[in-house]
Amino acid sequence: METTETPAPIPSEPHVTVGKADAPVDGPPRGKREGTVLNVFSHGMLILWAFMVVMPLLWAVMTSFKDDRSIFDSPWSLPDKLHFENWARAWTDANMSDYFLNTVLVVGGSLIGTLVLGSMAAYVLARFDFPGNRFIYYLFIGGMSFPIMLALVPLFYVVNNMGLLNTIHGLILVYIAYSLPFTVFFLTAFFRSLPASVAEAAFVDGASHSRTFFQIMLPMAKPGLISVGIFNFLGQWNQYMLPTVLNTDPDKRVLTQGLVQLAASQGYKGDWSGLFAGLVMAMLPVLAAYIVFQRQVVQGLTAGALK
Amino acid sequence: MHHGKYRFIVGFLTVPLGLYALFVVWPFIQSIYYSFTDWSGLSPEFKMVGFDNYTRLVHDDIFWKSLWHSLLFALVLPPVTIGLALFLAFMINVGGRRRKGGPVISGVRGSSFYKIVYFFPQVLSIAIVALLFAFAYNPDSGAINSLLRGVGLGSVQPLWLGDPGLALWCVMAVLVWSTVGFFVVLFSAGMASIPADLYEAALLDGASRATTFFRITLPLLWDTVQSGWVYMGILALGAESFAVVQIMTTGPGGPDYSTTVMVLYVYQKAFRDGQAAYATTIGVALLVVTLLFAAVVMRLGRRERLEY
């Protein structure tokens, strides 16, 4: 609707006649004011919240460059100089490099596993009709709403009995299992939306089912895989509860765990600046990934809640 | 060919389904079974004890405290978070200045900037967020109290996490902080898809902005709000509240159990006190609370579906 002069909403006079070109209402000035007041108010509130979001993060970055004394004496002052040694100390002495490596290994392994296994299951559930299809589908997506903590106690002993406790590959397998519900849910919907004709043509041409899947369907599903991949990357990178329970070997700690342990022990050592450097180090990769893949992150994260 | 199809299906499903059954489904079933035993978790021996664990639960003061705190989380967090997010999303999408010749409602300038920034906490690990705020709340040298001193409120120096009456609210505030952005983005997407002529018609009829929000935006967004409500509740009962409470509050869930939530209590009973069976019983109670919460929200929120 293209109107040039839309009358202003005037609450006291509910029935303003819609102004034709020759019958201007006294709308514009009041309309402008009304819009302006609202606009200023909106911006005010929005900036206030943006400030509240960014402030703690900036504060953490700033603190990571300060020395320990000024962290305590004047938490809000700028650093006297940039203490890069905090970062170096955190990276080497506080084992952040090890935690980083562990996290990369665990997340790398689980991400690939989740995408491969999740897309296989989703493909079968989306495109084939067989007895038990619905049941398996609901079994998978049911996992999205149950409290993980309930399963965690027996899970600990399942993992323990298999000799997978405190191992990187054990953690990978568990991460994959707990990432499957959302992944299968998301990708099933995605595979359903892909045209059936392409796969059928390939099949008629003599391609086997698995060949059709790997060479035709998977490449077609790339956008979906990227969305769900980023979603899982963030979730697995940020995972705290599973490693806390299943991974108690100090050498195998992942970043989140390592940082929490560090915070507990730094209380005695007093290396707060190093701890903040570690904290910022752990925040940067996900913030960077988010800024680069912003659109897909939002897509992946909101898809779960919308359905 | 049929043979090939079934072989393919089985071949593709076995590994994912096997992993999922072994690490997710099986432990769930087991935990309900274990809640009827006296299993310590430390030794492989245990015997059936019927409803003993459940009787014990009823007489456990700390359990009731944790249940109450979890309920508070589930009842307070969704309305606060979703209300704030709706407000901010409405400001982003409707609060813009009207430009000559432009549509009657418009988003604010820089709306995408706000959406990007608001989403920051959502991508950070809740563990990192919890650590960060644990420092900020520190009564002596934390950022918040020194900010208060800085603006001349030196006499107001709460203990924050050390105060049994405040600790739980401090922890909740952190969860609000970290999740609002997600809902702003979610609701913004919903609001952007509402046709502008609906607003135009309402504004022509003299409706105020607030009226348009309650009469147009909210009803059309209701499905999203409702699923967001359930999602937030499950989150507040589950993993996220575990991380914030365990990391931010000291000792056994805050001063005098003032912040113990059900998930934390499950964790402590199982992995600190060696009472695995009792822990699974609390876990079953948590499952019941979660399902009840979802059922109640879905039931109360049922409305006629609006199409546009």
mmCIF file of all heavy atoms in Angstrom, chain A residues 182 186 223-224 226-228 231 293-304 306, chain B residues 119 185:
data_model
loop_
_atom_site.group_PDB
_atom_site.id
_atom_site.type_symbol
_atom_site.label_atom_id
_atom_site.label_comp_id
_atom_site.label_asym_id
_atom_site.label_seq_id
_atom_site.Cartn_x
_atom_site.Cartn_y
_atom_site.Cartn_z
ATOM 1 N N PHE A 182 18.064 -33.282 17.651
ATOM 2 C CA PHE A 182 17.794 -32.071 16.883
ATOM 3 C C PHE A 182 18.250 -32.210 15.436
ATOM 4 O O PHE A 182 17.585 -31.756 14.508
ATOM 5 C CB PHE A 182 18.460 -30.853 17.529
ATOM 6 C CG PHE A 182 18.213 -29.597 16.755
ATOM 7 C CD1 PHE A 182 16.985 -28.965 16.844
ATOM 8 C CD2 PHE A 182 19.171 -29.083 15.896
ATOM 9 C CE1 PHE A 182 16.719 -27.820 16.106
ATOM 10 C CE2 PHE A 182 18.922 -27.937 15.154
ATOM 11 C CZ PHE A 182 17.689 -27.310 15.265
ATOM 12 N N PHE A 186 15.832 -31.732 12.303
ATOM 13 C CA PHE A 186 16.054 -30.650 11.347
ATOM 14 C C PHE A 186 16.257 -31.199 9.932
ATOM 15 O O PHE A 186 15.671 -30.715 8.968
ATOM 16 C CB PHE A 186 17.292 -29.849 11.782
ATOM 17 C CG PHE A 186 17.557 -28.616 10.962
ATOM 18 C CD1 PHE A 186 17.046 -27.394 11.355
ATOM 19 C CD2 PHE A 186 18.323 -28.677 9.812
ATOM 20 C CE1 PHE A 186 17.286 -26.253 10.614
ATOM 21 C CE2 PHE A 186 18.565 -27.543 9.058
ATOM 22 C CZ PHE A 186 18.050 -26.327 9.466
ATOM 23 N N PRO A 223 22.974 -26.649 2.183
ATOM 24 C CA PRO A 223 22.530 -25.540 3.055
ATOM 25 C C PRO A 223 22.007 -26.025 4.401
ATOM 26 O O PRO A 223 22.319 -25.434 5.440
ATOM 27 C CB PRO A 223 21.411 -24.875 2.249
ATOM 28 C CG PRO A 223 21.469 -25.434 0.886
ATOM 29 C CD PRO A 223 22.289 -26.663 0.890
ATOM 30 N N GLY A 224 21.236 -27.101 4.371
ATOM 31 C CA GLY A 224 20.717 -27.655 5.622
ATOM 32 C C GLY A 224 21.828 -28.169 6.499
ATOM 33 O O GLY A 224 21.832 -27.967 7.726
ATOM 34 N N ILE A 226 24.861 -27.126 6.570
ATOM 35 C CA ILE A 226 25.619 -26.002 7.134
ATOM 36 C C ILE A 226 24.890 -25.436 8.352
ATOM 37 O O ILE A 226 25.474 -25.229 9.413
ATOM 38 C CB ILE A 226 25.850 -24.911 6.063
ATOM 39 C CG1 ILE A 226 26.830 -25.446 5.020
ATOM 40 C CG2 ILE A 226 26.389 -23.637 6.694
ATOM 41 C CD1 ILE A 226 27.072 -24.513 3.857
ATOM 42 N N SER A 227 23.572 -25.225 8.199
ATOM 43 C CA SER A 227 22.798 -24.681 9.326
ATOM 44 C C SER A 227 22.904 -25.561 10.552
ATOM 45 O O SER A 227 23.231 -25.115 11.652
ATOM 46 C CB SER A 227 21.322 -24.568 8.948
ATOM 47 O OG SER A 227 21.090 -23.382 8.258
ATOM 48 N N VAL A 228 22.627 -26.835 10.362
ATOM 49 C CA VAL A 228 22.599 -27.727 11.505
ATOM 50 C C VAL A 228 24.017 -27.976 12.012
ATOM 51 O O VAL A 228 24.245 -28.201 13.198
ATOM 52 C CB VAL A 228 21.839 -29.031 11.156
ATOM 53 C CG1 VAL A 228 22.731 -30.025 10.461
ATOM 54 C CG2 VAL A 228 21.224 -29.647 12.383
ATOM 55 N N PHE A 231 24.885 -25.030 14.229
ATOM 56 C CA PHE A 231 24.129 -25.214 15.469
ATOM 57 C C PHE A 231 24.849 -26.224 16.373
ATOM 58 O O PHE A 231 25.063 -25.971 17.558
ATOM 59 C CB PHE A 231 22.722 -25.717 15.124
ATOM 60 C CG PHE A 231 21.907 -26.073 16.324
ATOM 61 C CD1 PHE A 231 21.217 -25.100 17.007
ATOM 62 C CD2 PHE A 231 21.840 -27.381 16.775
ATOM 63 C CE1 PHE A 231 20.454 -25.421 18.109
ATOM 64 C CE2 PHE A 231 21.091 -27.711 17.885
ATOM 65 C CZ PHE A 231 20.401 -26.729 18.554
ATOM 66 N N PHE A 293 29.100 -16.523 10.317
ATOM 67 C CA PHE A 293 27.974 -17.338 9.844
ATOM 68 C C PHE A 293 26.660 -16.882 10.455
ATOM 69 O O PHE A 293 25.759 -17.684 10.658
ATOM 70 C CB PHE A 293 28.199 -18.800 10.194
ATOM 71 C CG PHE A 293 29.365 -19.412 9.509
ATOM 72 C CD1 PHE A 293 30.529 -19.655 10.212
ATOM 73 C CD2 PHE A 293 29.306 -19.740 8.167
ATOM 74 C CE1 PHE A 293 31.625 -20.221 9.585
ATOM 75 C CE2 PHE A 293 30.400 -20.299 7.540
ATOM 76 C CZ PHE A 293 31.555 -20.546 8.248
ATOM 77 N N GLN A 294 26.552 -15.596 10.727
ATOM 78 C CA GLN A 294 25.434 -15.052 11.468
ATOM 79 C C GLN A 294 24.076 -15.559 11.001
ATOM 80 O O GLN A 294 23.249 -15.998 11.794
ATOM 81 C CB GLN A 294 25.565 -13.540 11.302
ATOM 82 C CG GLN A 294 24.912 -12.734 12.305
ATOM 83 C CD GLN A 294 23.831 -12.024 11.600
ATOM 84 O OE1 GLN A 294 22.739 -12.492 11.570
ATOM 85 N NE2 GLN A 294 24.142 -10.908 10.986
ATOM 86 N N ARG A 295 23.859 -15.504 9.672
ATOM 87 C CA ARG A 295 22.544 -15.857 9.136
ATOM 88 C C ARG A 295 22.214 -17.326 9.420
ATOM 89 O O ARG A 295 21.127 -17.663 9.868
ATOM 90 C CB ARG A 295 22.530 -15.598 7.635
ATOM 91 C CG ARG A 295 21.160 -15.386 7.048
ATOM 92 C CD ARG A 295 21.301 -14.844 5.631
ATOM 93 N NE ARG A 295 22.227 -15.634 4.832
ATOM 94 C CZ ARG A 295 21.869 -16.755 4.184
ATOM 95 N NH1 ARG A 295 20.640 -17.177 4.233
ATOM 96 N NH2 ARG A 295 22.760 -17.439 3.478
ATOM 97 N N GLN A 296 23.186 -18.191 9.183
ATOM 98 C CA GLN A 296 22.941 -19.623 9.386
ATOM 99 C C GLN A 296 22.766 -19.969 10.854
ATOM 100 O O GLN A 296 21.978 -20.847 11.199
ATOM 101 C CB GLN A 296 24.099 -20.457 8.822
ATOM 102 C CG GLN A 296 24.145 -20.527 7.324
ATOM 103 C CD GLN A 296 25.007 -19.425 6.734
ATOM 104 O OE1 GLN A 296 25.263 -18.407 7.373
ATOM 105 N NE2 GLN A 296 25.461 -19.616 5.518
ATOM 106 N N VAL A 297 23.522 -19.273 11.713
ATOM 107 C CA VAL A 297 23.396 -19.537 13.148
ATOM 108 C C VAL A 297 21.965 -19.255 13.589
ATOM 109 O O VAL A 297 21.307 -20.074 14.235
ATOM 110 C CB VAL A 297 24.355 -18.653 13.968
ATOM 111 C CG1 VAL A 297 24.096 -18.812 15.454
ATOM 112 C CG2 VAL A 297 25.795 -19.002 13.649
ATOM 113 N N VAL A 298 21.485 -18.082 13.195
ATOM 114 C CA VAL A 298 20.135 -17.692 13.602
ATOM 115 C C VAL A 298 19.109 -18.674 13.043
ATOM 116 O O VAL A 298 18.201 -19.109 13.744
ATOM 117 C CB VAL A 298 19.854 -16.250 13.119
ATOM 118 C CG1 VAL A 298 18.391 -15.923 13.276
ATOM 119 C CG2 VAL A 298 20.712 -15.283 13.902
ATOM 120 N N GLN A 299 19.306 -19.039 11.777
ATOM 121 C CA GLN A 299 18.410 -20.009 11.160
ATOM 122 C C GLN A 299 18.392 -21.323 11.925
ATOM 123 O O GLN A 299 17.336 -21.851 12.259
ATOM 124 C CB GLN A 299 18.914 -20.300 9.750
ATOM 125 C CG GLN A 299 17.882 -20.154 8.671
ATOM 126 C CD GLN A 299 18.564 -20.188 7.320
ATOM 127 O OE1 GLN A 299 19.503 -20.956 7.109
ATOM 128 N NE2 GLN A 299 18.115 -19.345 6.413
ATOM 129 N N GLY A 300 19.579 -21.829 12.204
ATOM 130 C CA GLY A 300 19.683 -23.120 12.875
ATOM 131 C C GLY A 300 19.085 -23.075 14.265
ATOM 132 O O GLY A 300 18.349 -23.966 14.671
ATOM 133 N N LEU A 301 19.383 -21.982 14.994
ATOM 134 C CA LEU A 301 18.917 -21.920 16.374
ATOM 135 C C LEU A 301 17.417 -21.695 16.474
ATOM 136 O O LEU A 301 16.770 -22.211 17.363
ATOM 137 C CB LEU A 301 19.650 -20.820 17.134
ATOM 138 C CG LEU A 301 21.056 -21.166 17.599
ATOM 139 C CD1 LEU A 301 21.630 -20.032 18.413
ATOM 140 C CD2 LEU A 301 21.067 -22.431 18.419
ATOM 141 N N THR A 302 16.876 -20.901 15.558
ATOM 142 C CA THR A 302 15.463 -20.593 15.682
ATOM 143 C C THR A 302 14.587 -21.707 15.117
ATOM 144 O O THR A 302 13.438 -21.843 15.518
ATOM 145 C CB THR A 302 15.112 -19.259 14.993
ATOM 146 O OG1 THR A 302 15.693 -19.272 13.704
ATOM 147 C CG2 THR A 302 15.604 -18.093 15.788
ATOM 148 N N ALA A 303 15.125 -22.518 14.225
ATOM 149 C CA ALA A 303 14.320 -23.589 13.630
ATOM 150 C C ALA A 303 13.798 -24.518 14.706
ATOM 151 O O ALA A 303 12.683 -25.013 14.636
ATOM 152 C CB ALA A 303 15.139 -24.358 12.610
ATOM 153 N N GLY A 304 14.617 -24.757 15.720
ATOM 154 C CA GLY A 304 14.214 -25.690 16.765
ATOM 155 C C GLY A 304 13.026 -25.201 17.568
ATOM 156 O O GLY A 304 12.128 -25.965 17.882
ATOM 157 N N LEU A 306 10.814 -22.888 16.657
ATOM 158 C CA LEU A 306 9.645 -22.491 15.881
ATOM 159 C C LEU A 306 8.717 -23.643 15.578
ATOM 160 O O LEU A 306 7.524 -23.465 15.445
ATOM 161 C CB LEU A 306 10.089 -21.850 14.564
ATOM 162 C CG LEU A 306 10.360 -20.361 14.637
ATOM 163 C CD1 LEU A 306 10.957 -19.857 13.339
ATOM 164 C CD2 LEU A 306 9.084 -19.584 14.940
ATOM 165 N N PHE B 119 22.314 -11.152 20.164
ATOM 166 C CA PHE B 119 22.476 -12.605 20.065
ATOM 167 C C PHE B 119 23.809 -13.073 20.653
ATOM 168 O O PHE B 119 23.995 -14.262 20.879
ATOM 169 C CB PHE B 119 22.386 -13.016 18.592
ATOM 170 C CG PHE B 119 21.784 -14.365 18.364
ATOM 171 C CD1 PHE B 119 20.423 -14.575 18.507
ATOM 172 C CD2 PHE B 119 22.574 -15.450 17.999
ATOM 173 C CE1 PHE B 119 19.856 -15.825 18.294
ATOM 174 C CE2 PHE B 119 22.014 -16.706 17.789
ATOM 175 C CZ PHE B 119 20.653 -16.877 17.934
ATOM 176 N N VAL B 185 15.434 -12.232 18.433
ATOM 177 C CA VAL B 185 15.609 -12.598 17.026
ATOM 178 C C VAL B 185 14.446 -13.465 16.549
ATOM 179 O O VAL B 185 13.891 -13.260 15.464
ATOM 180 C CB VAL B 185 16.957 -13.328 16.845
ATOM 181 C CG1 VAL B 185 17.069 -13.907 15.457
ATOM 182 C CG2 VAL B 185 18.097 -12.364 17.109
#
